[in-house]
Amino acid sequence: MAVENESAEIVKARIDKRNYKRIVLRNSLQVLLISDPDTDKCAASMSVGVGYFSDPTGLEGLAHFLEHMLFYASEKYPVEDSYSKYITEHGGSTNAFTSSENTNYFFDVNTDGFEEALDRFAQFFTKPLMSADATMREIKAVDSENQKNLLSDGWRMNQDG
Ligand SMILES: [Zn+2]
């Protein structure tokens, strides 16, 4: 997707040798690119400005549930869990969390697997595949995670997950 507008003004520490660039895509997605020649991996993170504060009454846990569901499959990569498998097979790891006003998804991977990993990752957000079967499974998973968290004061203070 073409870049709508660029802003070169990034304030960084004098000892920070990384290169930064901020771009805004035509769909308004704000992107911060960071180049670090000293690292041996690539990584990406997507922060969505919606969290559990946006859960509708009667559907508590919806944001967290969606966080779980997006990882499963997309129209382009319909095999369930193939994203996680791809990341693992290319020396990386992936996770996500839902907080009060944000949901964050992230992964790291060996450089040779980055391009495809990023495409698989991007497909969650553009064309996720949510089968009825996976939906039922994840409703149970999110519920049991929540039951477990209810027993922990730390989680009760900060309902991330
Ligand atoms: Zn969870």
Side-chain angles (χ1 to χ4, degrees):
M1 186 173 288
V3 173
E4 174 79 355
N5 121 46
E6 292 186 32
S7 136
E9 194 57 37
I10 303 275
V11 179
K12 63 174 189 174
R14 228 170 303 142
I15 56 161
D16 188 349
K17 299 283 184 260
R18 287 167 288 202
N19 289 316
Y20 297 81
K21 187 172 192 176
R22 178 183 178 273
I23 58 175
V24 180
L25 301 181
R26 216 180 299 155
N27 63 5
S28 303
L29 190 72
Q30 298 180 55
V31 184
L32 180 63
L33 300 166
I34 306 171
S35 172
D36 184 346
D38 293 333
T39 187
D40 59 348
K41 280 197 179 175
C42 291
S45 169
M46 171 81 148
S47 180
V48 181
V50 177
Y52 58 75
F53 279 179
S54 300
D55 285 346
T57 307
L59 283 174
E60 290 79 9
L62 184 64
H64 184 195
F65 167 73
L66 192 61
E67 174 223 300
H68 277 234
M69 285 308 293
L70 291 194
F71 269 93
Y72 268 114
S74 61
E75 285 183 21
K76 185 171 174 187
Y77 301 101
V79 177
E80 216 173 83
D81 273 335
S82 66
Y83 162 76
S84 305
K85 196 160 172 262
Y86 183 87
I87 297 283
T88 309
E89 284 171 359
H90 291 80
S93 61
T94 181
N95 212 336
F97 63 87
T98 304
S99 67
S100 56
E101 295 179 274
N102 284 283
T103 306
N104 192 281
Y105 303 80
F106 53 93
F107 71 87
D108 64 49
V109 72
N110 290 339
T111 52
D112 65 340
F114 184 65
E115 202 171 324
E116 183 171 336
L118 191 63
D119 187 45
R120 289 172 174 273
F121 184 76
Q123 295 300 317
F124 299 165
F125 306 106
T126 52
K127 289 190 172 165
L129 202 62
M130 297 193 191
S131 70
D133 191 47
T135 300
M136 287 319 294
R137 255 179 291 136
E138 276 322 301
I139 287 174
K140 287 181 188 141
V142 168
D143 194 50
S144 77
E145 206 179 304
N146 188 50
Q147 295 298 327
K148 185 188 77 199
N149 291 349
L150 284 176
L151 303 173
S152 147
D153 287 342
W155 283 109
R156 292 174 68 154
M157 300 278 284
N158 178 10
Q159 304 182 354
D160 291 5

